[in-house]
Amino acid sequence: MTTVDMTPATNKSNSPTNPRRRVYLPNTKYIPILATLTLLLIMYFTGVANYRNFGQPSVVVNLFRDNAVLLVVAVGMTFVIITGGIDLSVGAVISMTTTLTATLLAGGWPPLVVLPLVLLLGALLGAGMGAVIHFFKVEPFIATLAGLFLARGIALFINQNSIPIRDKLWKSLSEYRIVLADGVVTKVTSVTAVVVVLIAAAVLAWTRFGRNVYAVGGNADSALLMGLPVGRTKIAVYTLSGFCAALGGVLFSINSTSGWALQGQGLELDAIAACVIGGVLLTGGSGYVFGSLLGVMVYGLIQTIITFQGDLNAAWTRIIIGLLLFGFIVLQRVVTRRAK
Amino acid sequence: MGEPSPVLEMTGIRKVFPGVVALDGVDFRLFPGEIHALMGENGAGKSTLIKVLTGVYDIDGGDITLGGAAVRFTGPLQSQKAGVSTVYQEVNLCTNLSVAENIFIGREPRRLGRIQWGLMRKRAAELLARLDLNLDVSASLDTYSLAIQQMVAIARAVDVSARVLILDEPTSSLDASEVEQLFKVMRRLKEEGVAILFVSHFLDQVYEVSDRLTVLRNGKLIGEYKTAELPQVQLVEKMIGKELAVLDDLENKAQRTRAKTAEAAPILSATGLGRTGAIAPFDLTINAGEVVGLAGLLGSGRTELARLLFGADRADSGTLQIDGKDVTLRSPQAAMKHGIAFSSENRRTEGILGELTVRENIILALQASRGWTRPIPRRKQDELVDKYIKALQIRPADPEREVRMLSGGNQQKVLLARWLITEPRLLIIDEPTRGIDVGAKAEIQKLVAELSDGGVAVLFVSAELEEVLRLSHKIEVLRDRRLVEELENTEGVDADRIMQTIASGATS
Amino acid sequence: MTILKNRLFWPAVILVALLVVNMFTSNQFITVRDGHLFGTLPDILRGSAPLLLVALGMTLVIATGGIDLSVGSVMAISGAVACLLISDLGNQNSVGSVLLIIGVAIVVSLVLGLWNGALVAAVGIQPIIATLILMVAGRGVAQLITDGQIINVQSSPYATIATGFFLAMPVAFLIAVGAVVLTVLLTRRTALGLLLESVGGSPTASRLAGIRSRRITVMTYVVSGGLAGLAGLIYSANIKSADSISAGNLIELDAILAVVIGGTALIGGRFSIAGTVIGALLIQTLGVTVVAVGVPSKATLLFKAVIVVALCLSQSATFRQKVFGRIKPRPATAVRAEVPA
């Protein structure tokens, strides 16, 4: 009996003219993420070399504090993008959540009722959008754009002004400091964000739901023919993204002890950009939560560098963010392309 | 054979789409331990019947019983659970996932909700070993060839512990040894009592492997036969409902016109042309009116060679002469300026534009070569399109129909029409007859012969040796991304001779 | 029945219904005063010009399967450039100088569009990310041009492009109509439309059919940039100043919405300019109506959201089939249900 012995990449990278290539390269799946990591490190050490105190551990720890909301939202977005979708509503869900939370707390609702309620609401809105996308075949971009209008519309309808939060639990969560090491402290929000990242990464890698997410993004028709619950998976990722956005809103309201209907405007694009920088393909089927984490770190580090630079006005801040984003994406493309 | 009761029985199945009756009172039965071929031309209703069986479509009438119990599938998941597994024409797997995942997704071994990756890989490797495949199961599926992906799909279907296994055109992308391998697996499964429904356009394969066959035509049942008792000619008649005389005309025609074309002026001649990683440097001359066949296995460099001559990819070595002058083809447009046309093997992704109409698809290349500022007047468009719809017998003959609504064969004809209206001097066609029915195939072959008579040179790429032999004046044999031999298509040359070269890689 | 299946049926019905509502609620829907058209309808037409222009360019970009998020920033930059140059003029009312400056601003916008197109077609960055770069940085550039200030101008020729009248019609609307007509001619009288739809359908197949896909893709971003620049000029001429923060803020979303309401799919391919016009007018009219019928300002976005959701569902063939499937569609009742909300 003859055995067909095949090593992978018979037809692509491992062409007869270039037999040695494989040896030097890591698994092609990880190239975008490694490229991001390398560039992130370069950026970090450039900062360390140029600014005093940049090398202190608190700079890294503060990255998580300052970007906790973006991180949580990006995690939900990662799931959605891996299925080949997109969720534009996340920023608006944040504003809806903060406004509602502040209003309910001001109205004397117990915080332990408000918390699950707003999370549930975010998840429900996500589920609704997922259902519209799946059952009525509305393009995700449009369905979630409608969700954006709806969520922000609700937020503005509740209150157009910033509402302060005076609830004890919120206050204490906001003020609570976790000491990691001497002189290095962090907040509840950053710890929450890190926990969310870890759970999400585990779910994507080790559960059936996680693998179905990849399958749906890789080829939804095939996934259906393989008997996978495509509809349920699609609805679930939007639900998850809605939940993450609501959680982001809660973190926001804890950080700022206030709620405002114009909070989180444009955050959806930051989250999408973070995912893309982290190597999550907008076409679906490929990407990792840790990639998105790196993407958020890139975003955060850009902000940090700008802060350290100090003398930049708002206009230059925007331009520098744009330029760095540009440099980053182009570099990543060059690295990824060369690897192939 | 002669089992008393079929494992699957479908009676009076009816399925209606808006404007079309796809299945009209079709009966079908499948016994355990048999390989049953489902035969019919494109549009006969085979695909619809399979989709009914797998629960993708709900039926509008009729009954299905599986293992004696009446069933009605509402989705693929349900039919799979009932024991009906399917491997489709286009490999329906997720190529972004690993081999092991593709086999086990949805059924991963778990402990406390956590997927046991190690166990899963081990089981996948064992399962593939049963089919004589030794793959790296943790590599992602898209690093493997289509043929291997197909095998993985079958491994998955088999492991879902199927009572009924449906193989929809599994062999269309496999080479001869892979087909043998597949048949071995099929026979083994048959011995284990699995009922296999097999669909293939290759009649020889049907005769080699199947026990029984059912013929459909235009959504109706023509009959059920024992394969051994139905001669091939009669089968073809039942499938297409008419006699096929066209093909006989073509026999030996190539040899008759050979003298003329051998002396004609060369249109194109390549010297040491090549592209790293795609095709090793080769020499090739094509004369006016000459049909040059490219033979070789999938991945032998056939397509890569064709793409270089069209400027779809750029050569990184060698020179190309057209009409005796050195040229460099940087883009398809450049090639088109020299009268070269190219129809890709990937009809759906690199050929037709499904959303556009037949008319728009046909005029596209001509329009592109004129540039956007010089639109072809509508009257002229209609004239040209009507002419080619008639000449190529494109069905339905409606120029404003969206091309995706047409059958594969008709889509192929639309593609050919797109290039014919540019009046090319050299037409490169890559696998024009793959996956299309016998009638359309014959028409396309006839067209190639006619073009050649009219002085157009044709570079004909096909996996089917018989077809290459029938049409070509000379045959270029490729192996491992290298042009290994050039053969004049004379009396002594036959399929065995070419196979030998493909297999052993004789040097020329 | 076929008219009911047309994707533009419901948007058109809603547009007409909204206009009818306005006819009853506004004291002057349309009248002639001083030889000009006055009233709500001319206001809607005038106000819709920037969105129409932006949506027009967006249609072409979306037809190729792309998207342009940077239109708002381009609007801001073009307005900033024009206002800065005009404010430096000795005589701000010099028609020749103003025209020249408008030309300069539009050339700048075209170059910005070229940048987007190059990133998408030459570098190969996904459109949503490629145009995000300019979206983020562009507003910074605009702020830099105006030095963080709001530049006010007192130029009557400049103001004319937004608030002036020509042959009794608002000039801004005429500019938009001109752009629409020009685009229709450009795409449907030449082969450009076909080639665009082909590239949007499949860039690979188009390339192999001899179409210069890249060139066409770049062209659509350039056109989109130019039209956004024009929209920015009208916007800034209307407020007689350059406001780099709020000029064109979030207009990309409205423009994309207008395109989709108009029946052009985001995946590219077939596009409908008539649909985009209806979509843009609908969105503008909706905004006006909300105010006119006295919806409290805090509920305006919610109101808009409800209509948008209804429209998106009406665009879904599956939805129509599931809801109106067996029942005879009854447009009259459905419309009535949505209008007084």
Side-chain angles (χ1 to χ4, degrees):
Chain A
M1 196 178 287
T2 53
T3 296
V4 182
D5 195 330
M6 299 266 175
T7 44
T10 44
N11 44 359
K12 286 178 188 160
S13 56
N14 205 8
S15 59
T17 44
N18 231 336
R20 288 182 306 145
R21 240 188 190 173
R22 248 187 102 72
V23 182
Y24 303 112
L25 281 176
N27 196 326
T28 47
K29 287 192 290 193
Y30 301 125
I31 284 174
I33 214 169
L34 288 174
T36 305
L37 184 62
T38 314
L39 294 169
L40 182 67
L41 290 177
I42 291 173
M43 224 161 90
Y44 177 73
F45 287 110
T46 313
V48 172
N50 285 310
Y51 305 106
R52 205 212 295 232
N53 294 337
F54 202 96
Q56 292 192 349
S58 62
V59 168
V60 176
V61 173
N62 288 351
L63 274 182
F64 285 88
R65 184 196 65 196
D66 298 338
N67 298 287
V69 176
L70 182 59
L71 193 52
V72 172
V73 170
V75 165
M77 189 70 81
T78 307
F79 279 76
V80 172
I81 295 181
I82 292 177
T83 64
I86 202 158
D87 187 354
L88 297 181
S89 73
V90 288
V93 171
I94 286 179
S95 69
M96 183 180 81
T97 309
T98 63
T99 316
L100 195 63
T101 305
T103 310
L104 292 180
L105 290 175
W109 286 51
L112 289 179
V113 173
V114 173
L115 183 64
L117 185 74
V118 294
L119 292 180
L120 182 72
L121 218 64
L124 270 181
L125 186 75
M129 292 185 301
V132 167
I133 289 163
H134 171 63
F135 290 116
F136 301 140
K137 313 257 175 303
V138 175
E139 284 173 279
F141 197 100
I142 292 306
T144 59
L145 181 57
L148 182 162
F149 285 133
L150 200 61
R152 205 174 290 284
I154 292 171
L156 284 168
F157 186 73
I158 295 170
N159 201 326
Q160 287 169 292
N161 305 313
S162 177
I163 319 154
I165 295 176
R166 297 199 177 80
D167 180 78
K168 262 193 226 143
L169 179 65
W170 249 254
K171 284 260 183 214
S172 57
L173 283 175
S174 173
E175 281 152 18
Y176 190 74
R177 297 282 183 277
I178 300 162
V179 181
L180 295 178
D182 200 25
V184 184
V185 290
T186 190
K187 295 176 80 173
V188 180
T189 48
S190 13
V191 175
T192 313
V194 171
V195 170
V196 168
V197 168
L198 292 177
I199 293 176
V203 166
L204 262 188
W206 284 323
T207 66
R208 278 194 188 166
F209 166 68
R211 304 322 292 174
N212 289 348
V213 168
Y214 283 98
V216 168
N219 188 336
D221 294 334
S222 293
L224 193 68
L225 291 169
M226 285 200 277
L228 302 179
V230 173
R232 225 164 53 205
T233 306
K234 273 193 189 170
I235 295 174
V237 294
Y238 288 96
T239 311
L240 186 78
S241 178
F243 174 85
C244 284
L247 184 60
V250 170
L251 298 185
F252 218 124
S253 68
I254 290 174
N255 265 343
S256 63
T257 57
S258 69
W260 188 31
L262 294 181
Q263 207 69 267
Q265 225 169 16
L267 196 90
E268 58 277 358
L269 293 174
D270 293 339
I272 294 166
C275 291
V276 171
I277 290 174
V280 185
L281 283 187
L282 280 177
T283 41
S286 160
Y288 301 92
V289 172
F290 285 118
S292 301
L293 169 72
L294 294 179
V296 171
M297 292 296 106
V298 168
Y299 242 70
L301 208 56
I302 291 174
Q303 304 272 13
T304 310
I305 289 175
I306 286 167
T307 321
F308 268 80
Q309 186 64 32
D311 53 357
L312 289 173
N313 61 20
W316 274 111
T317 309
R318 286 177 157 279
I319 295 173
I320 300 276
I321 291 181
L323 284 178
L324 285 177
L325 202 59
F326 166 70
F328 205 88
I329 291 165
V330 171
L331 262 178
Q332 193 195 40
R333 250 205 93 72
V334 170
V335 171
T336 320
R337 203 185 259 171
R338 187 153 306 161
K340 280 182 181 169
Chain B
M1 296 291 287
E3 276 83 354
S5 65
V7 58
L8 172 82
E9 192 156 18
M10 304 170 88
T11 43
I13 301 296
R14 186 176 166 80
K15 175 71 200 172
V16 184
F17 292 113
V20 198
V21 182
L23 291 176
D24 188 5
V26 171
D27 300 340
F28 179 76
R29 45 192 202 138
L30 197 56
F31 291 92
E34 76 162 345
I35 297 175
H36 192 132
L38 184 60
M39 306 298 294
E41 287 204 286
N42 281 334
K46 292 173 309 200
S47 297
T48 312
L49 189 72
I50 288 173
K51 284 189 170 153
V52 161
L53 194 50
T54 53
V56 175
Y57 296 149
D58 196 5
I59 45 175
D60 298 316
D63 300 297
I64 307 173
T65 55
L66 188 67
V71 287
R72 184 138 185 188
F73 301 130
T74 52
L77 194 59
Q78 218 201 354
S79 85
Q80 219 179 78
K81 276 192 179 139
V84 180
S85 286
T86 315
V87 173
Y88 284 94
Q89 186 170 2
E90 273 108 31
V91 180
N92 273 287
L93 294 175
C94 295
T95 53
N96 59 324
L97 302 181
S98 73
V99 172
E101 275 199 277
N102 269 294
I103 295 175
F104 283 106
I105 193 155
R107 315 175 292 121
E108 299 97 335
R110 291 183 299 178
R111 198 167 55 199
L112 301 171
R114 185 184 184 283
I115 293 173
Q116 295 171 289
W117 282 94
L119 181 63
M120 190 165 106
R121 285 192 206 107
K122 193 169 139 257
R123 280 208 209 150
E126 283 168 7
L127 180 65
L128 289 169
R130 226 176 96 200
L131 307 187
D132 302 335
L133 285 168
N134 178 14
L135 311 177
D136 173 5
V137 293
S138 57
S140 93
L141 191 66
D142 55 15
T143 54
Y144 285 104
S145 69
L146 257 160
I148 297 296
Q149 293 182 16
Q150 187 99 62
M151 298 287 191
V152 173
I154 290 168
R156 175 185 169 86
V158 168
D159 192 59
V160 175
S161 66
R163 278 194 286 179
V164 175
L165 176 64
I166 301 171
L167 300 175
D168 188 358
E169 296 261 7
T171 55
S172 53
S173 56
L174 303 193
D175 68 34
S177 72
E178 288 164 335
V179 168
E180 260 327 298
Q181 168 119 16
L182 171 69
F183 285 176
K184 206 157 47 178
V185 172
M186 283 169 66
R187 291 194 185 102
R188 190 176 307 164
L189 293 170
K190 173 177 140 184
E191 280 161 25
E192 291 176 13
V194 178
I196 298 173
L197 170 54
F198 176 66
V199 180
S200 171
H201 272 116
F202 302 101
L203 298 186
D204 294 345
Q205 295 178 358
V206 168
Y207 274 89
E208 186 183 339
V209 80
S210 75
D211 304 308
R212 196 191 293 266
L213 49 84
T214 293
V215 181
L216 299 182
R217 193 168 73 222
N218 290 331
K220 292 198 176 68
L221 175 72
I222 299 300
E224 189 199 85
Y225 313 91
K226 287 211 158 149
T227 310
E229 292 165 9
L230 184 72
Q232 198 157 333
V233 187
Q234 278 185 31
L235 171 62
V236 172
E237 269 178 37
K238 290 187 193 304
M239 283 167 62
I240 61 176
K242 65 183 174 198
E243 301 257 356
L244 263 188
V246 258
L247 287 183
D248 299 333
D249 282 358
L250 291 173
E251 293 294 350
N252 298 323
K253 180 150 191 172
Q255 278 145 24
R256 283 204 302 275
T257 56
R258 183 55 185 150
K260 205 170 67 189
T261 57
E263 288 155 17
I267 287 184
L268 173 148
S269 93
T271 318
L273 203 68
R275 181 179 162 90
T276 315
I279 176 96
F282 61 90
D283 298 341
L284 177 66
T285 303
I286 302 175
N287 294 348
E290 194 173 36
V291 180
V292 179
L294 284 193
L297 300 179
L298 204 77
S300 62
R302 304 183 309 225
T303 299
E304 289 77 1
L305 190 156
R307 287 176 64 94
L308 279 196
L309 298 185
F310 185 59
D313 298 323
R314 283 172 70 168
D316 54 16
S317 68
T319 55
L320 185 66
Q321 286 195 328
I322 293 174
D323 300 324
K325 284 191 209 94
D326 277 354
V327 293
T328 312
L329 299 180
R330 289 197 173 80
S331 64
Q333 296 94 298
M336 284 162 69
K337 279 206 189 91
H338 292 291
I340 302 176
F342 170 71
S343 154
S344 165
E345 62 173 334
N346 300 315
R347 191 163 57 223
R348 242 170 283 182
T349 54
E350 297 185 346
I352 58 148
L353 287 143
E355 260 203 315
L356 302 187
T357 63
V358 169
R359 173 178 57 83
E360 289 169 326
N361 267 283
I362 290 179
I363 64 156
L364 197 59
L366 183 62
Q367 183 61 65
S369 64
R370 288 166 65 113
W372 64 272
T373 49
R374 291 172 53 223
I376 306 166
R378 185 58 193 260
R379 268 231 318 275
K380 176 89 178 153
Q381 287 186 23
D382 290 338
E383 217 172 88
L384 280 169
V385 170
D386 281 345
K387 181 176 149 202
Y388 279 95
I389 286 181
K390 279 206 192 81
L392 301 184
Q393 299 181 23
I394 294 171
R395 294 283 173 274
D398 174 8
E400 300 308 316
R401 175 84 53 124
E402 285 184 13
V403 163
R404 65 194 165 94
M405 313 296 271
L406 270 57
S407 71
N410 281 303
Q411 290 179 352
Q412 188 63 53
K413 289 183 193 167
V414 167
L415 266 187
L416 287 174
R418 174 190 291 173
W419 291 112
L420 293 180
I421 70 168
T422 66
E423 296 175 353
R425 294 190 302 147
L426 168 61
L427 177 63
I428 304 171
I429 35 182
D430 195 355
E431 296 277 10
T433 61
R434 183 201 284 169
I436 68 176
D437 61 62
V438 185
K441 208 175 209 170
E443 284 165 17
I444 286 171
Q445 292 177 2
K446 202 170 133 218
L447 180 76
V448 169
E450 282 168 7
L451 285 171
S452 156
D453 286 348
V456 178
V458 180
L459 185 66
F460 189 82
V461 186
S462 173
E464 275 183 69
L465 286 182
E466 210 183 303
E467 193 174 64
V468 172
L469 278 164
R470 181 178 297 145
L471 290 170
S472 311
H473 295 118
K474 69 179 182 193
I475 299 168
E476 313 289 325
V477 186
L478 290 112
R479 181 175 187 273
D480 293 339
R481 299 180 183 272
R482 202 171 287 281
L483 202 166
V484 288
E485 192 173 25
E486 179 174 288
L487 292 167
E488 282 293 318
N489 191 4
T490 47
E491 288 297 333
V493 175
D494 58 11
D496 287 343
R497 169 75 182 77
I498 296 174
M499 294 261 249
Q500 230 170 19
T501 313
I502 291 174
S504 64
T507 47
S508 51
Chain C
M1 280 301 131
T2 44
I3 189 165
L4 286 175
K5 284 187 189 150
N6 193 313
R7 287 173 68 93
L8 291 183
F9 177 76
W10 285 108
V13 164
I14 294 183
L15 175 59
V16 170
L18 287 173
L19 287 173
V20 169
V21 169
N22 274 294
M23 216 187 278
F24 288 113
T25 54
S26 64
N27 15 2
Q28 277 185 326
F29 186 63
I30 185 164
T31 55
V32 179
R33 195 195 296 166
D34 304 336
H36 301 156
L37 292 178
F38 264 94
T40 313
L41 184 60
D43 276 349
I44 290 174
L45 296 182
R46 192 166 66 88
S48 66
L51 180 59
L52 250 177
L53 290 168
V54 170
L56 197 59
M58 191 70 81
T59 309
L60 302 184
V61 171
I62 288 180
T64 65
I67 204 153
D68 187 353
L69 296 182
S70 72
V71 284
S73 294
V74 174
M75 276 178 73
I77 291 176
S78 130
V81 167
C83 287
L84 181 73
L85 293 177
I86 290 176
S87 69
D88 282 348
L89 282 180
N91 172 15
Q92 294 199 5
N93 288 325
S94 151
V95 176
S97 311
V98 169
L99 279 179
L100 185 70
I101 288 168
I102 288 176
V104 170
I106 288 183
V107 169
V108 169
S109 312
L110 292 171
V111 171
L112 293 173
L114 183 65
W115 158 267
N116 281 333
L119 287 190
V120 172
V123 188
I125 301 176
Q126 285 155 322
I128 191 169
I129 296 299
T131 56
L132 179 67
I133 293 169
L134 185 56
M135 182 192 186
V136 172
R139 228 167 258 285
V141 172
Q143 279 172 290
L144 217 56
I145 292 171
T146 61
D147 203 18
Q149 312 290 316
I150 290 183
I151 301 179
N152 292 304
V153 292
Q154 298 299 330
S155 163
S156 60
Y158 189 53
T160 304
I161 63 170
T163 52
F165 285 86
F166 181 72
L167 299 175
M169 296 288 281
V171 172
F173 182 63
L174 289 178
I175 291 175
V177 169
V180 169
V181 170
L182 208 65
T183 312
V184 170
L185 289 180
L186 204 64
T187 52
R188 298 304 181 195
R189 280 308 169 110
T190 70
L192 191 61
L194 172 66
L195 300 188
L196 262 173
E197 290 177 337
S198 168
V199 170
S202 164
T204 325
S206 300
R207 188 175 103 87
L208 288 179
I211 297 170
R212 297 168 200 270
S213 306
R214 284 185 183 184
R215 196 180 287 187
I216 290 200
T217 306
V218 171
M219 190 150 66
T220 62
Y221 285 92
V222 171
V223 170
S224 175
L227 288 172
L230 195 54
L233 293 176
I234 293 177
Y235 179 90
S236 88
N238 192 33
I239 57 172
K240 297 192 176 60
S241 64
D243 179 351
S244 45
I245 302 292
S246 55
N249 190 26
L250 298 181
I251 201 172
E252 64 279 354
L253 296 182
D254 276 345
I256 293 165
L257 204 58
V259 173
V260 172
I261 288 173
T264 302
L266 282 178
I267 46 167
R270 290 285 188 207
F271 66 93
S272 160
I273 289 174
T276 297
V277 172
I278 291 180
L281 286 177
L282 174 54
I283 290 173
Q284 181 67 24
T285 313
L286 187 60
V288 172
T289 314
V290 170
V291 179
V293 299
V295 174
S297 70
K298 65 174 188 175
T300 49
L301 191 60
L302 192 57
F303 183 87
K304 184 175 168 184
V306 171
I307 299 278
V308 165
V309 170
L311 269 171
C312 290
L313 290 180
S314 84
Q315 291 290 302
S316 151
T318 332
F319 179 80
R320 288 194 305 249
Q321 199 188 343
K322 278 181 183 163
V323 176
F324 303 111
R326 304 289 168 198
I327 327 160
K328 248 187 173 178
R330 283 181 302 179
T333 49
V335 172
R336 213 173 293 139
E338 273 154 1
V339 173

